[in-house]
Amino acid sequence: MDSHDTAPRGVTSVSPFDAMLRSSFLPSALVGLVCAAVFFVLGGVAGGLSALFGAALALGFFASGLLVLRTLRNLNPMAIMAAAMAVFFGQIIVLGLVLVAARRIDSLDGPATGITVAVVVVAWQIFQVRSFMRTRQFVYDPEAGDAGAGGRT
């Protein structure tokens, strides 16, 4: 193990939030672009632009949530879980309020926006969970486990 590397072999020392952001943003953005193309064909320019608005909205909200959680990553696991739930519910509430306010924009195609937001949110969650599962985060404290084994490995 290198003196600068504090993570055990095979475990990344990169923040799981950074990894989830990198692994979720691009595929979700591509899903948003596919939705925009579909709605451009089905609803013309208004449908395509509305879908792009919905994709940008969803990407912005969920990327900002991971950026907030990244700043809290040194808290204990229970506090991080509570913060993650609060951030997620806050994002959903604010996202819903923005969509309700956006209904007042006459040129916005509501179904194209709403469907795109929903599809991008589902894609984001799938890629975020997939990424987290691959970060190989410990669910226990490795030092405490070594001490409890009497120093045996």
Side-chain angles (χ1 to χ4, degrees):
M1 192 180 319
D2 187 12
S3 63
H4 300 296
D5 187 14
T6 58
R9 182 181 310 215
V11 177
T12 180
S13 62
V14 175
S15 165
F17 302 111
D18 291 336
M20 288 187 294
L21 182 61
R22 279 192 313 273
S23 298
S24 301
F25 190 84
L26 184 60
S28 299
L30 292 174
V31 166
L33 289 175
V34 168
C35 287
V38 168
F39 282 110
F40 180 76
V41 169
L42 296 176
V45 174
L49 290 176
S50 296
L52 284 176
F53 170 73
L57 192 63
L59 291 170
F61 271 91
F62 285 97
S64 66
L66 285 178
L67 293 173
V68 168
L69 290 174
R70 180 176 68 178
T71 64
L72 304 174
R73 72 175 180 228
N74 293 326
L75 296 176
N76 70 50
M78 292 300 288
I80 288 177
M81 184 57 141
M85 294 300 291
V87 166
F88 181 74
F89 287 124
Q91 287 172 318
I92 296 299
I93 290 168
V94 173
L95 185 60
L97 292 174
V98 169
L99 288 174
V100 167
R103 291 179 57 188
R104 296 181 182 188
I105 301 172
D106 292 331
S107 61
L108 194 67
D109 182 349
T113 304
I115 291 169
T116 301
V117 166
V119 169
V120 171
V121 165
V122 169
W124 182 280
Q125 294 301 317
I126 289 169
F127 287 109
Q128 182 175 318
V129 168
R130 180 177 169 255
S131 174
F132 181 77
M133 297 299 288
R134 293 180 175 197
T135 60
R136 298 180 64 174
Q137 297 295 310
F138 282 120
V139 294
Y140 64 93
D141 186 1
E143 287 82 27
D146 289 344
R152 296 185 309 257
T153 54

